[in-house]
Amino acid sequence: MTADIRASALRTIATERAGLDILHEALADGLGAPFAAAVEMIRSATGRVVVTGMGKSGHVARKIAATLASTGTPALFVHPAEASHGDLGMVQPEDVVIALSWSGEAMELSAIVAYTRRFRVGLIAITSAADSALGREADIALVVPKAEEACPNGLAPTTSTTMQMALGDALAIALLEARGFTRQDFFVYHPGGKLGAQLKTVESIMHRGEAMPRVGLDAALPDVIAMISAKGFGCAIVTNPDGYLAGIVTDGDLRRKLGSGTPGALRARDVMTPDPRRIVPDALAVEALEMVNRLRITALIVADANDRPVGIVHVHDLLRLGVA
C-alpha cells in the first residue's frame, strides 16, 4: 500500500514537471513575444493589476495577485461573479486586467471582460485556447500549451493550474527585475515573521551613541575594564583622536595581557586587537549573524564608509530578532 501511494505521488509530480517543461519550451519559442508584451503593458500602466479567474483558476489568480503585490507591482483579486454586482468599480481605466481561464469560456468572466472592452482597460488572458471567447477579446493572450493533467481521469485541474501558477510567477519576477526591485524594497512589504527579520538592516538593530563601549587609544586599562563591564558587550571599541576605528579590546585580550607586564601601566593601545572585523550599517542582519557565527565572536562593530564606528551589534540582538 505504501509503495502504491509513493508511486502515485511520483507520477503526479512527474506529470506536472512535464507540463512545466512544455511551458518552458513555449516561453523560449512562440509564447516569449506575448509574454514580453504583457510585462511591458503592466510595467507601463499607471494603475494596478486586477487579477481574476473562476474556480481553480480563481485560486491561482489570488496567488498571482498576492505575489505581484508583494514584489512591487500593485495588484488585487476581483472575483468574477462579484464583478457584475458592484465590484467592477474596483477596476479603473488606468489598470490592467489579467484574466485566467483554462478553456477561455468561463461565463462568469463575461462581465469583467466586457467592462475592459467598453472602457479600454488593458486585458491580458492566460488560457490554453487562443480562439476562445477570452483569447479573442484579450489585447494580449498568453496561450499556455496543453499538457496531461496529473488526475488519472484527466478532469481535476492539476498540471494546468501548476502551469498557470508558474507563468504568474514568471510575470512577477520579470516585473521585479525590470523595476530594479531590491531586497530593501522587499522588506517594506514583508516586515513580519522570519523573512522580515532577515531583511532588516544592521542599522535598524544596532546600539549607538552612549550605548557603545568606546574608549580612546590612551585609555588606562582600569578605564577600559570599567567600560567593558558597564556596557555589557564583552568588548570595548578603540578609536584614535580623530574618531576613526583603531581596534577592539575583548575579554580574551584582557586575559592574555594581564598575565604579563604591569597592568596599571597598560593602555588600550597595548592590549587591543588592531583592525577588527566590522560591518557596514546597510548590511542585512542575516549577514551579521553569518559573520559572528563564522568568526566565533559575540559582538560586531558597525562602521560607516569612512571607518568611523557608528554602532555595535551583539549576537543576542540577532537571536532575539529571529534571523537564526
Side-chain angles (χ1 to χ4, degrees), residues 161-278:
T161 49
T162 298
M163 295 168 75
Q164 288 177 319
M165 189 88 73
L167 190 59
D169 286 343
L171 281 170
I173 299 306
L175 287 161
L176 176 155
E177 292 174 343
R179 289 194 169 102
F181 195 77
T182 67
R183 292 183 298 183
Q184 295 310 311
D185 296 322
F186 202 73
F187 173 63
V188 173
Y189 302 112
H190 300 78
K194 187 170 183 178
L195 179 57
Q198 290 177 337
L199 292 170
K200 283 186 179 293
T201 62
V202 170
E203 187 174 21
S204 69
I205 62 170
M206 70 184 187
H207 303 267
R208 62 188 80 202
E210 291 299 316
M212 295 169 58
R214 193 196 313 247
V215 298
L217 280 167
D218 293 319
L221 190 57
D223 294 333
V224 175
I225 294 172
M227 178 61 72
I228 293 174
S229 299
K231 302 300 182 180
F233 291 98
C235 66
I237 302 168
V238 184
T239 57
N240 66 22
D242 296 321
Y244 295 102
L245 181 62
I248 189 171
V249 179
T250 66
D251 290 333
D253 293 324
L254 293 175
R255 286 192 298 271
R256 286 187 290 272
K257 293 292 184 179
L258 288 177
S260 61
T262 306
L266 294 174
R267 301 289 174 178
R269 67 170 70 245
D270 301 317
V271 297
M272 73 179 190
T273 298
D275 193 26
R277 300 286 185 162
R278 61 273 226 180

Side-chain angles (χ1 to χ4, degrees), residues 68-86:
L68 287 168
S70 71
T71 52
T73 300
L76 71 155
F77 172 80
V78 171
H79 195 291
E82 298 291 344
S84 58
H85 293 276

